[in-house]
Amino acid sequence: MNTRRLPLLVVGCCTIFALIAAVSQGEEPTGPELPPIFPKALAPGDTIMFVAPAKYLDKDRVMLAKKRLEAMGFKVRIPKDLFRKKGFLGGSDEERAGELMAAFKDPAVDAIFPGTGGYGTTRIVDKLDYDVIRRHPKILVGFSDITGLHIAINQRTGLVTFHSPVPEWGLGSEENLSPFAAKWFWRAILAKSYSKGSVREVSLSPRAGYTILPTLAGSGVCVGKKPADKPPPPVTIRGGVARGRLIGGNLSVVNALMGTPYEIQTDGKILFLEDVGEDPYRIDRMLNTLRLAGKFDHAAGILLGQFTTRKDQKKWDDDESMDDVLNDYFAKLRVPVLAHFPFGHVRYNATLPEGAMAELDAKAQTLRILENPVAP
């Protein structure tokens, strides 16, 4: 026997055993990027179903959001046990996953609105039927903990979803959506936002897509009590222009998925991140995990939202500022990086179509969506 070949045989056997183990545990080896699937655009008369895939819901806020959506001409479905509670969760893992899958399976449902984030989606990503979701694409919105669903569903199916306000934090807030958040929410998902010619062109056509202008105050759609709301200006960390599909969301949730079959894939993508209630050293810790995993190495560009601390958290005497932390990680990258973009845990929460092709111009401080994120 040729002993020179033993290392190759060992490596080969280990690879085979690793693949067998992955399959037996339900894991899927990372493969080629799936082609995008675009959900049908939303129009008055369509049915929106509220779900609780994470934290339990605030009934008053959810019912206020329902009332406002119905005033716009939508039908809103409330599952009979939507307001169930199990500790800090909106029900058991099986109940929450089952409710979400029922929404995808129901042919009468056109869009799925999780009531809130909080915590819980990472507990159910392995309990979803991605083949069913792929066969029944629908609008899915949300931010914060809903990041877990966005990443898992987009990477397993190709479905474009929407990192956006949720009923409790937007339509169900006393002051309603800010004009800025309302403009970009409805611009992304509403059929009337697209001309007849362009809505059929889900492509990189010059007529497709739109540009998110971070300093635009809003259009008056669903205007709340603060018409003067404007987001603060973005900050360019590194200039330049990048193209890639959008992927990301809440940093804590992205970090929680690391090392799992649902780990975020960033190669060639525009990675967007934000967080709330975290001190600079904790943001540093999570960003360092992504750095060590190589998640910044081949990203096309980086889009950063707000990173805010809890007001009641005790600060370290030697704390760096949040901007110091962000600059430490991103100023050295050789790709465009734009910070303080208005999305996530802020009132001026721009909707980002996760999985859609986009162009980030860090110098001009704009994000252009290059294709229509919804289909006719």
Side-chain angles (χ1 to χ4, degrees), residues 251-274:
L251 175 60
S252 295
V253 181
V254 170
N255 192 70
L257 290 172
M258 294 299 293
T260 76
Y262 308 92
E263 179 176 310
I264 192 168
Q265 304 303 318
T266 60
D267 287 8
K269 308 285 183 68
I270 294 175
L271 172 64
F272 64 95
L273 298 168
E274 60 85 40

Side-chain angles (χ1 to χ4, degrees), residues 174-181 217-218 222-230 347:
E174 181 183 352
E175 63 271 24
N176 209 330
L177 287 168
S178 71
F180 178 88
C222 279
V223 172
K225 296 181 179 179
K226 299 182 180 180
D229 267 3
K230 290 187 180 181
R347 181 162 160 74

Side-chain angles (χ1 to χ4, degrees), residues 109-334:
V109 172
D110 301 290
I112 302 169
F113 282 25
T116 192
Y119 171 70
T121 62
T122 57
R123 292 174 58 105
I124 66 170
V125 290
D126 60 338
K127 296 174 174 60
L128 305 181
D129 190 329
Y130 294 97
D131 288 334
V132 169
I133 294 173
R134 188 182 294 112
R135 294 197 304 268
H136 303 279
K138 297 177 184 185
I139 287 172
L140 175 71
V141 306
F143 75 111
S144 191
D145 194 67
I146 307 304
T147 294
L149 297 181
H150 289 312
I151 293 173
I153 289 174
N154 178 256
Q155 293 186 167
R156 290 298 179 99
T157 71
L159 178 63
V160 172
T161 61
F162 298 87
H163 187 276
S164 74
V166 290
E168 278 195 20
W169 301 99
L171 285 163
S173 302
E174 181 183 352
E175 63 271 24
N176 209 330
L177 287 168
S178 71
F180 178 88
K183 176 177 178 59
W184 300 115
F185 182 65
W186 297 116
R187 180 65 183 85
I189 67 174
L190 208 56
K192 74 174 184 180
S193 298
Y194 303 89
S195 67
K196 271 191 174 180
S198 69
V199 77
R200 287 177 170 78
E201 280 189 74
V202 185
S203 66
L204 302 184
S205 158
R207 292 194 299 171
Y210 54 92
T211 300
I212 298 177
L213 305 173
T215 56
L216 193 59
S219 66
V221 181
C222 279
V223 172
K225 296 181 179 179
K226 299 182 180 180
D229 267 3
K230 290 187 180 181
V235 174
T236 300
I237 293 180
R238 281 193 67 93
V241 177
R243 284 192 176 195
R245 297 200 175 276
L246 290 166
I247 195 72
N250 181 256
L251 175 60
S252 295
V253 181
V254 170
N255 192 70
L257 290 172
M258 294 299 293
T260 76
Y262 308 92
E263 179 176 310
I264 192 168
Q265 304 303 318
T266 60
D267 287 8
K269 308 285 183 68
I270 294 175
L271 172 64
F272 64 95
L273 298 168
E274 60 85 40
D275 217 322
V276 65
E278 301 286 359
D279 276 345
Y281 82 92
R282 293 172 64 88
I283 295 297
D284 186 287
R285 177 191 293 153
M286 290 185 281
L287 289 177
N288 192 52
T289 297
L290 298 187
R291 180 190 69 82
L292 290 172
K295 297 303 176 182
F296 306 142
D297 293 347
H298 302 292
I302 307 289
L303 184 67
L304 303 171
Q306 300 296 315
F307 292 83
T308 57
T309 61
R310 278 172 46 189
K311 293 179 181 178
D312 60 344
Q313 271 182 320
K314 183 179 179 181
K315 293 186 178 295
W316 290 11
D317 292 337
D318 54 352
D319 255 355
E320 284 191 307
S321 73
M322 204 69 80
D323 282 343
D324 287 338
V325 172
L326 298 181
N327 274 289
D328 193 34
Y329 280 92
F330 298 110
K332 297 174 285 190
L333 298 184
R334 295 182 178 180

Side-chain angles (χ1 to χ4, degrees), residues 97-116:
E99 182 180 76
L100 181 61
M101 290 310 308
F104 273 108
K105 291 176 184 177
D106 192 333
V109 172
D110 301 290
I112 302 169
F113 282 25
T116 192

